[in-house]
Amino acid sequence: MIKPDLTVNLGGIELASPVLAASGPFGYGYEYLKRIDCSALGAIIVKGVSARPWAGNPPPRLAETASGLLNSIGLQNPGLEQFEKEVMPRLKGMAPRLIVNIVGCDIGEYAEVAGRLDGMEGIDGLEVNISCPNLRAGGIAFGTDPAETFNVVSAVRRQTSLPLLVKLSPNVSDITVIARAAEEAGADGLSLINTLSGMLIDIETKKPLLGNTFGGLSGPALLPVALKMVWQTAEAVNIPLLGMGGITSAEDAIQFMMAGARAVALGTAFFYEPEVAEQVAEGLRGYLEKHEIDAIGKLEGIARKGGPADAR
Amino acid sequence: MIKPDLTVNLGGIELASPVLAASGPFGYGYEYLKRIDCSALGAIIVKGVSARPWAGNPPPRLAETASGLLNSIGLQNPGLEQFEKEVMPRLKGMAPRLIVNIVGCDIGEYAEVAGRLDGMEGIDGLEVNISCPNLRAGGIAFGTDPAETFNVVSAVRRQTSLPLLVKLSPNVSDITVIARAAEEAGADGLSLINTLSGMLIDIETKKPLLGNTFGGLSGPALLPVALKMVWQTAEAVNIPLLGMGGITSAEDAIQFMMAGARAVALGTAFFYEPEVAEQVAEGLRGYLEKHEIDAIGKLEGIARKGGPADAR
Amino acid sequence: MLSLSRSETSYNKPESCRVTIKQIVAPNYCRLTFKSPVVAGAAYPGQFVMVYMPREHKYLLPRPFSIFRLNRVREEVSILFEVKGKGTELLAHTKRGSQLRIMGPLGTGFPALPEGSLLVAGGIGIAPLVFLAAAEGKPCTLIYGARTASQLICPPDDLTLPNLTILEVTEDGSKGAKGSVSDLLPGLVSGAPALFACGPRQMLRAVKALCGHSGPPAWFSMEERMACGIGACLGCAVQTKTGYRRVCRDGPVFSAGEVFFDD
Amino acid sequence: MLSLSRSETSYNKPESCRVTIKQIVAPNYCRLTFKSPVVAGAAYPGQFVMVYMPREHKYLLPRPFSIFRLNRVREEVSILFEVKGKGTELLAHTKRGSQLRIMGPLGTGFPALPEGSLLVAGGIGIAPLVFLAAAEGKPCTLIYGARTASQLICPPDDLTLPNLTILEVTEDGSKGAKGSVSDLLPGLVSGAPALFACGPRQMLRAVKALCGHSGPPAWFSMEERMACGIGACLGCAVQTKTGYRRVCRDGPVFSAGEVFFDD
Ligand SMILES: Cc1cc2nc3c(=O)[nH]c(=O)nc-3n(C[C@H](O)[C@H](O)[C@H](O)COP(=O)(O)OP(=O)(O)OC[C@H]3O[C@@H](n4cnc5c(N)ncnc54)[C@H](O)[C@@H]3O)c2cc1C
Ligand SMILES: Cc1cc2nc3c(=O)[nH]c(=O)nc-3n(C[C@H](O)[C@H](O)[C@H](O)COP(=O)(O)OP(=O)(O)OC[C@H]3O[C@@H](n4cnc5c(N)ncnc54)[C@H](O)[C@@H]3O)c2cc1C
Ligand SMILES: Cc1cc2nc3c(=O)[nH]c(=O)nc-3n(C[C@H](O)[C@H](O)[C@H](O)COP(=O)(O)O)c2cc1C
Ligand SMILES: Cc1cc2nc3c(=O)[nH]c(=O)nc-3n(C[C@H](O)[C@H](O)[C@H](O)COP(=O)(O)O)c2cc1C
Ligand code: FES
Ligand code: FES
């Protein structure tokens, strides 16, 4: 029996496993990494970091929906300085690979964060969140406009030589336009998708359930939407994709790979099952063995016409 | 105890109940109306009708997802002539109010259908589907572009004096822009939302599960997305809204009304529970009685700042 | 022998029914019997029921199953199914005595069966054919094929009908003749006044080819994914000579000449 | 009296536990006991567990419940809960002997309780305070309030502790004194070395106001919607003097002076 190769190269980041922890649900990683065996994770993408501390949104920040979760954390984070002083040392040796998600109120802040992280030891890549729908004055504008996307990604690109992923928002008419703008601006890979914008109302108080009115929908509910966007984007760009959105099993992960993702990230699934990454990695291995496929990379894009995507 | 008033006026259509059957899942109505008591339904919106027959998409046309359904029916319909000759007579006396959903490959077809239906007896209103994501050459273009939306709605408006609803697509960056274009072109009301675009892949055959690759996601999975779009659109236009997307209970329906919908439509819920309309209407009545609210119209928009929306 | 009334359609709603018998007939195969005066009173062979999932589950759609056995006196209806995915897995865990919602009988079933007809079942396709043979009571021959013995799971009690001659065939020869349904058919098809088949697409395609123009009239029970189950949503389309038709309402039984298998 | 180890945090994963006792203690109130060496071995008062929903359900998130009773010898842990929505409804239908996944013990609980402390419970807020009183064993007084008698549902067997003096109070006077917790507090608060409270927001707000600056140190067990339960997602924020803090990790127990109730 073959021992399948699970390694992939995601825009310059060599990963021992194609299963990542998505930015946000996994926090900065330590809470989970104390509980679970992280060897199944190729990398963790830590929660968004801004130049100065962000307070986040008023509670309640969570609401459960059918097969989904609405959150309006609002990118609460301690800011770059504390991140460097307190978070990074704690992550030392703990994480497999570390990708830092970056956020900003304006292009200047994005660039500032990218520049400072560029020099920091222990960081394997950056993920630019141009898409978070939670923050009123935040990323939303960038991620829904190709020109703004180009500008912010270019600005970040100038500040860093680290592998650069750009995380796309699904709240757009045509994600491929944004994807191409990010590629042209120098992204090494694309992460998709972020949460879909949504809300719930408490019919007894007659008010929105979330303190911030709107939140982002994640979880299995949005999987088919995410999968389609990965498929479309894979046809539109020539850089690798990190697929995410509702993945809870190896079967889900394989769908994303067959649609064109090189690797996948898990988010909401950790809430239900902290050991989900092990389960997914184990399931991927099992699928490859059963089908006698020697490397996970061979699944990339095979469901799309023309078979195996251009292997890079 | 008060006996609450459930009647509403939806853009000129007087409805005895604010609970409608959405276009598509309910077909032309007879299959369901033979099985259920239709008195709970304010109106049925029949499946999209085009000028000439449309064959629809290749099977499989359905796929189940977590708390959702993907469909790619492809607007299969027998065309206007058969609709008039065979469908309309069968619906006589059966439906409470009848709203006909219209589709077209181009503006000419939309206008042609609208014109012919305008003269037909027994039709209480039209709903223009500018948003179906299923049809390759179809509605998608109109519903994602404000200028195209304006053009097609204007063309239809010129052909009919019937109350005119326009059904919006959620696959857009900003639904309010499209909503305002439809309003300016003369819509009497807006229906929202249609299905979100999505897909699934069969990991054994390594092919998309749907014969048409892409389909539309409906059901509880998308409720929070639909609710937010209703909320935003209610703030942007001055015509009444018909809210839909994942409603399966009175609690769900009330959320849509509190966000700004005058009435609601049920689609996918019928698959799980053919008697869902009765249950929802009963639940609405119960809520109003419990909270001593004498008319359903008083819920419209009360969760939005400023309380009760301008009552029209 | 039951009397059949094929012309009527009953317009039922889902009703909650007690599971009176639950039987794991083989690994991955389950037989459930429901108490349902409504279905038992109206169903004829080839019709199906929709079985609903519990409300708190993330699965929205009911699952279609052919009626496998019917007992008008006890007002019971049975289905026989293979565990394929999440819904059938859940159903296989149902406990005797619990309540499940079912809707039926649905669809247009088989026409009347002439004496000496040939029934062709592939795997779990056996289900509607047992009901057909039992209900009609006329002598007929059943070819019951599968890849391997463990897929020939119809309980002997259900299959042992006085009017039924059974020919088993497996591709690996682990039970009955070695080979496929198509190997047995040529010798039998010419003498039969009619053929009734249910099974995988490839099997039906092969049967259709073997019947050809000169063969007997053949009737196939088709499968397609369903949502409403009653003809409204147009989700269960199959391609036929006259365009897309609905498996749930125009079928599930179609004449072999009518349906296409080119995919 | 149990020995407590408040400094340690255990880093457990969800584990499948058998429900050894299930008791509907009153309409809409349920008590579940789990066999869990892990939780029973490590928990101290004020900590909570996450209870997971079955996988096929459309509810993704586990539900947080305070630990109500603990039996180190039998390795059992109990929760007491009110049926509020879909998750608690499902849990109330759990059968004895079935398996549920739980994760815990979680969070930062109560500090050590000085003799003569005042415990203040509003409705189902009783749960963590019973564990506190039972574990510490020191004499203390419990004010147990609710709107009406049917909400004072803590089983007498659990509440009858040798060290506990109980004052019941209901707003409608249907059980105990008539009035609210705030009516009883003024007379008791000044003599108490510490106060421990759990209950609705309005009650906590009133207790905080009554303690004021001169009152004893007070500790509140707070509630917020949770996803991870372990401090990662920042979903369970409450506003405090030092900004948003996590109920699941920094709490659920906070000092009264620290939390804000202005909403
Ligand atoms: C008219 C008819 C009669 C049938 N009779 C029987 C029978 O007697 N015994 C039996 O074992 N099976 C029968 N089937 C097939 C049975 O419906 C599917 O195996 C079952 O729905 C699979 O559900 P699942 O949740 O386990 O699979 P999943 O793959 O988890 O289901 C996902 C979705 O796909 C649908 N689906 C998956 N496979 C099929 C299929 N082959 N046909 C239709 N829908 C499918 C499900 O209904 C569900 O909506 C019949 C199908 C039809 C259309
Ligand atoms: C630390 C802590 C300890 C708790 N201890 C107890 C206890 O001992 N006994 C008890 O009866 N209840 C307790 N609660 C409240 C309990 O968690 C909720 O009543 C329960 O989660 C409601 O779930 P549901 O599915 O019935 O409600 P739904 O409204 O259907 O739940 C929807 C979502 O909202 C969340 N939610 C709803 N209400 C609350 C709430 N008040 N607090 C937190 N999340 C909520 C649910 O967890 C779920 O994710 C505690 C809460 C916290 C945070
Ligand atoms: C609680 C929570 C917090 C999140 N925070 C971030 C974030 O800080 N930055 C970001 O780019 N995405 C964030 N996301 C989005 C996730 O990374 C992911 O794109 C999304 O949840 C879809 O994946 P899932 O369905 O597997 O969770 C967050 C999601 C959740 C649920
Ligand atoms: C099977 C199916 C067919 C549909 N056909 C149409 C259609 O013909 N015209 C249309 O405007 N919308 C159509 N829709 C969309 C629904 O009317 C509705 O907007 C959508 O399903 C969301 O509501 P729901 O979640 O309650 O189903 C269809 C939906 C489904 C599931
Ligand atoms: S399943 Fe709806 S038409 Fe057949
Ligand atoms: S629930 Fe995730 S941080 Fe508290």
Side-chain angles (χ1 to χ4, degrees):
Chain A
M1 198 160 66
I2 48 162
K3 216 178 129 28
D5 176 10
L6 288 188
T7 63
V8 293
N9 182 312
L10 183 66
I13 314 172
E14 287 289 347
L15 302 171
S17 158
V19 183
L20 286 76
S23 174
F26 210 69
Y28 293 113
Y30 14 92
E31 306 298 352
Y32 277 105
L33 294 178
K34 278 177 207 151
R35 282 162 209 271
I36 61 171
D37 170 14
C38 67
S39 66
L41 280 171
I44 69 169
I45 309 180
V46 298
K47 215 182 150 32
V49 178
S50 50
R52 281 150 293 279
W54 284 5
N57 284 326
R61 291 177 172 185
L62 299 170
E64 201 187 38
T65 84
S67 298
L69 170 67
L70 274 179
N71 88 80
S72 62
I73 311 296
L75 297 175
Q76 177 181 339
N77 84 88
L80 202 45
E81 207 170 300
Q82 273 217 48
F83 177 76
E84 177 162 17
K85 273 204 258 162
E86 286 171 28
V87 178
M88 282 302 293
R90 291 181 68 177
L91 281 171
K92 207 164 225 165
M94 224 180 186
R97 296 265 175 199
L98 200 71
I99 299 173
V100 180
N101 182 276
I102 66 179
V103 294
C105 291
D106 49 38
I107 293 188
E109 186 167 16
Y110 275 107
E112 182 184 344
V113 180
R116 291 266 297 276
L117 292 173
D118 187 58
M120 242 176 254
E121 209 194 328
I123 297 178
D124 300 293
L126 301 183
E127 179 183 66
V128 191
N129 178 1
I130 55 165
S131 49
C132 181
N134 283 329
L135 204 71
R136 281 193 196 118
I140 184 78
F142 299 106
T144 55
D145 182 86
E148 290 293 325
T149 298
F150 183 87
N151 291 340
V152 69
V153 177
S154 302
V156 167
R157 179 75 288 176
R158 279 192 292 273
Q159 298 298 319
T160 186
S161 56
L162 285 169
L164 187 63
L165 306 177
V166 175
K167 179 141 175 201
L168 306 180
S169 163
N171 302 299
V172 295
S173 309
D174 185 353
I175 198 165
T176 63
V177 177
I178 311 291
R180 274 193 296 259
E183 181 182 29
E184 276 164 33
D188 298 310
L190 301 173
S191 301
L192 64 170
I193 58 174
N194 212 313
T195 55
L196 268 173
S197 195
M199 74 177 299
L200 284 178
I201 291 174
D202 182 329
I203 66 167
E204 294 303 326
T205 64
K206 306 186 181 70
K207 283 190 202 149
L209 223 150
L210 295 174
N212 187 50
T213 304
F214 301 149
L217 179 68
S218 64
L222 59 70
L223 184 141
V225 175
L227 191 66
K228 187 206 160 188
M229 290 187 167
V230 166
W231 175 290
Q232 289 183 301
T233 303
E235 305 216 307
V237 299
N238 289 306
I239 48 179
L241 306 185
L242 173 64
M244 70 190 85
I247 299 176
T248 65
S249 67
E251 292 71 42
D252 294 345
I254 293 167
Q255 290 192 59
F256 276 84
M257 290 172 173
M258 289 183 169
R262 180 150 312 168
V264 297
L266 307 173
T268 304
F270 285 108
F271 301 147
Y272 183 81
E273 175 54 89
E275 294 182 289
V276 67
E278 286 95 306
Q279 293 170 3
V280 170
E282 207 37 65
L284 290 179
R285 214 171 273 123
Y287 180 90
L288 295 178
E289 282 169 5
K290 185 177 150 209
H291 291 78
E292 302 189 336
I293 300 170
D294 60 3
I296 192 79
K298 300 219 168 135
L299 297 183
E300 190 176 328
I302 59 172
R304 293 205 324 280
K305 229 183 6 265
D310 37 333
R312 273 170 304 267
Chain B
M1 197 161 68
I2 49 162
K3 214 177 130 32
D5 176 10
L6 288 188
T7 63
V8 293
N9 182 310
L10 183 67
I13 314 172
E14 289 288 349
L15 301 171
S17 159
V19 183
L20 285 77
S23 174
F26 211 68
Y28 293 114
Y30 14 91
E31 306 297 353
Y32 277 104
L33 294 177
K34 278 178 208 150
R35 283 163 208 270
I36 62 172
D37 170 13
C38 67
S39 66
L41 280 172
I44 68 169
I45 308 180
V46 297
K47 208 172 158 40
V49 178
S50 50
R52 281 149 293 280
W54 285 5
N57 284 327
R61 291 177 172 185
L62 299 170
E64 202 186 36
T65 84
S67 298
L69 170 67
L70 274 179
N71 89 81
S72 61
I73 311 296
L75 297 174
Q76 176 181 340
N77 85 87
L80 202 46
E81 206 171 299
Q82 273 217 51
F83 177 76
E84 176 162 19
K85 272 203 260 166
E86 286 171 29
V87 179
M88 282 303 291
R90 291 181 68 177
L91 281 172
K92 205 163 229 169
M94 224 182 186
R97 296 266 177 197
L98 200 71
I99 299 173
V100 179
N101 183 277
I102 65 179
V103 293
C105 291
D106 50 38
I107 293 187
E109 186 167 15
Y110 275 106
E112 181 184 344
V113 181
R116 290 266 298 274
L117 292 172
D118 187 58
M120 243 176 253
E121 211 193 328
I123 297 179
D124 300 293
L126 301 183
E127 179 182 67
V128 191
N129 179 0
I130 57 165
S131 50
C132 180
N134 283 329
L135 205 70
R136 281 191 196 122
I140 185 77
F142 299 107
T144 55
D145 182 86
E148 288 295 322
T149 298
F150 182 88
N151 291 340
V152 69
V153 177
S154 303
V156 167
R157 178 76 287 177
R158 279 192 291 274
Q159 297 298 319
T160 185
S161 56
L162 285 169
L164 187 63
L165 305 176
V166 175
K167 180 146 177 197
L168 306 181
S169 163
N171 302 300
V172 294
S173 310
D174 185 353
I175 199 166
T176 63
V177 177
I178 311 291
R180 274 192 296 260
E183 181 182 29
E184 276 164 33
D188 298 310
L190 301 174
S191 301
L192 65 171
I193 59 172
N194 213 315
T195 54
L196 268 173
S197 196
M199 75 178 299
L200 285 178
I201 292 173
D202 182 329
I203 66 167
E204 294 303 325
T205 65
K206 307 187 181 71
K207 283 191 201 148
L209 223 149
L210 295 174
N212 187 51
T213 303
F214 301 149
L217 179 68
S218 63
L222 59 69
L223 184 141
V225 175
L227 191 66
K228 187 207 160 188
M229 291 188 167
V230 166
W231 174 290
Q232 290 183 300
T233 304
E235 304 215 309
V237 300
N238 289 306
I239 47 179
L241 306 185
L242 174 64
M244 70 191 84
I247 299 175
T248 66
S249 67
E251 292 70 42
D252 294 344
I254 292 167
Q255 290 193 61
F256 277 84
M257 290 172 173
M258 289 184 168
R262 180 150 311 166
V264 296
L266 308 172
T268 304
F270 285 108
F271 301 146
Y272 184 81
E273 175 55 270
E275 295 182 287
V276 67
E278 287 95 308
Q279 293 170 3
V280 170
E282 207 37 66
L284 290 179
R285 215 171 272 122
Y287 180 90
L288 296 178
E289 282 168 5
K290 184 177 149 209
H291 292 77
E292 302 190 337
I293 300 169
D294 60 1
I296 192 81
K298 299 218 168 134
L299 298 183
E300 190 176 328
I302 58 172
R304 292 206 323 281
K305 226 180 11 262
D310 38 333
R312 274 168 303 267
Chain C
M1 189 178 125
L2 300 166
S3 73
L4 304 171
S5 52
R6 295 215 159 102
S7 49
E8 292 161 25
T9 308
S10 49
Y11 296 107
N12 302 315
K13 308 177 225 183
E15 51 157 15
S16 192
C17 296
R18 195 159 48 83
V19 175
T20 56
I21 307 175
K22 179 259 181 84
Q23 201 187 340
I24 300 291
V25 301
N28 270 328
Y29 290 90
C30 179
R31 182 188 195 282
L32 286 180
T33 301
F34 304 94
K35 177 88 177 179
S36 171
V38 170
V39 178
Y44 70 87
Q47 289 192 300
F48 68 98
V49 293
M50 282 294 219
V51 181
Y52 290 75
M53 302 286 115
R55 186 129 222 180
E56 62 272 20
H57 286 189
K58 61 188 170 197
Y59 316 120
L60 292 173
L61 298 182
R63 267 60 176 164
F65 298 98
S66 298
I67 296 170
F68 167 57
R69 298 304 308 262
L70 196 79
N71 190 321
R72 292 237 152 106
V73 179
R74 300 172 60 116
E75 302 182 319
E76 287 182 339
V77 55
S78 304
I79 60 174
L80 180 72
F81 63 92
E82 185 180 349
V83 175
K84 290 240 182 85
K86 300 146 302 185
T88 46
E89 167 133 18
L90 274 166
L91 289 179
H93 282 97
T94 307
K95 292 206 172 67
R96 186 171 157 252
S98 59
Q99 300 273 336
L100 278 179
R101 289 169 73 223
I102 70 174
M103 176 166 69
L106 299 168
T108 305
F110 293 112
L113 168 144
E115 188 172 322
S117 288
L118 203 54
L119 314 189
V120 182
I124 193 66
I126 189 72
L129 299 175
V130 170
F131 181 21
L132 178 68
E136 295 272 356
K138 297 191 192 133
C140 48
T141 302
L142 167 72
I143 309 182
Y144 185 16
R147 231 171 322 120
T148 182
S150 66
Q151 294 173 338
L152 293 177
I153 51 70
C154 185
D157 281 0
D158 292 306
L159 207 53
T160 313
L161 298 168
N163 56 318
L164 201 59
T165 309
I166 302 170
L167 302 173
E168 291 178 327
V169 52
T170 53
E171 284 173 30
D172 62 2
S174 52
K175 198 169 177 201
K178 182 174 157 102
S180 72
V181 163
S182 343
D183 296 332
L184 286 183
L185 259 187
L188 296 161
V189 78
S190 55
L195 184 149
F196 299 81
C198 183
R201 263 184 109 73
Q202 318 86 280
M203 184 198 93
L204 295 179
R205 186 194 284 123
V207 172
K208 180 173 171 174
L210 280 167
C211 286
H213 291 294
S214 53
W219 305 94
F220 291 172
S221 179
M222 305 289 292
E223 286 188 11
E224 200 40 79
R225 285 154 184 269
M226 293 185 180
C228 73
I230 62 172
C233 73
L234 308 186
C236 61
V238 278
Q239 186 71 63
T240 73
K241 272 190 178 166
T242 53
Y244 287 124
R245 301 193 68 195
R246 300 163 302 177
V247 168
C248 71
R249 195 87 171 84
D250 306 315
V253 174
F254 293 91
S255 113
E258 216 181 333
V259 283
F260 291 123
F261 293 98
D262 35 54
D263 53 29
Chain D
M1 189 179 120
L2 299 167
S3 72
L4 304 171
S5 53
R6 295 218 159 100
S7 49
E8 293 162 23
T9 307
S10 50
Y11 296 108
N12 302 315
K13 310 177 222 181
E15 51 157 15
S16 193
C17 296
R18 195 160 48 84
V19 174
T20 56
I21 307 175
K22 180 262 182 81
Q23 200 186 341
I24 300 292
V25 300
N28 268 330
Y29 290 90
C30 180
R31 182 189 195 283
L32 286 180
T33 301
F34 304 93
K35 176 88 176 179
S36 170
V38 170
V39 179
Y44 69 88
Q47 288 192 302
F48 68 98
V49 293
M50 282 294 218
V51 181
Y52 290 75
M53 303 285 116
R55 185 128 223 183
E56 62 273 20
H57 286 190
K58 61 187 168 197
Y59 316 121
L60 292 174
L61 298 181
R63 269 59 177 165
F65 298 99
S66 298
I67 295 170
F68 167 56
R69 297 306 308 264
L70 196 79
N71 191 320
R72 293 239 152 106
V73 179
R74 300 173 59 116
E75 302 182 318
E76 287 183 338
V77 56
S78 304
I79 60 173
L80 180 72
F81 64 92
E82 185 179 349
V83 175
K84 290 239 182 85
K86 302 146 299 183
T88 45
E89 167 134 18
L90 275 166
L91 288 180
H93 282 98
T94 308
K95 293 207 172 67
R96 185 171 158 254
S98 58
Q99 300 273 338
L100 277 179
R101 289 168 74 221
I102 70 174
M103 176 166 70
L106 299 169
T108 305
F110 293 113
L113 169 143
E115 188 170 325
S117 288
L118 203 54
L119 313 190
V120 183
I124 193 67
I126 189 72
L129 298 175
V130 169
F131 181 21
L132 178 67
E136 295 271 356
K138 296 189 190 136
C140 48
T141 301
L142 167 72
I143 308 182
Y144 184 16
R147 234 175 316 120
T148 182
S150 65
Q151 294 173 337
L152 293 177
I153 49 72
C154 185
D157 280 0
D158 292 307
L159 209 52
T160 313
L161 299 168
N163 57 317
L164 201 59
T165 309
I166 301 170
L167 302 172
E168 290 180 326
V169 52
T170 53
E171 284 173 31
D172 62 3
S174 52
K175 197 169 178 201
K178 183 175 157 97
S180 71
V181 163
S182 342
D183 297 330
L184 286 183
L185 259 188
L188 296 162
V189 79
S190 55
L195 184 149
F196 299 81
C198 183
R201 263 184 110 73
Q202 318 87 278
M203 183 197 93
L204 295 179
R205 185 195 284 121
V207 172
K208 179 174 172 173
L210 280 167
C211 286
H213 291 295
S214 53
W219 305 94
F220 291 172
S221 179
M222 305 289 292
E223 285 188 11
E224 199 41 79
R225 284 154 184 269
M226 293 184 180
C228 72
I230 62 172
C233 74
L234 309 186
C236 61
V238 279
Q239 185 71 64
T240 73
K241 272 190 179 166
T242 52
Y244 287 123
R245 300 193 68 195
R246 301 161 302 176
V247 168
C248 71
R249 195 87 170 83
D250 305 315
V253 174
F254 293 91
S255 115
E258 214 182 335
V259 282
F260 291 123
F261 292 99
D262 36 54
D263 52 29

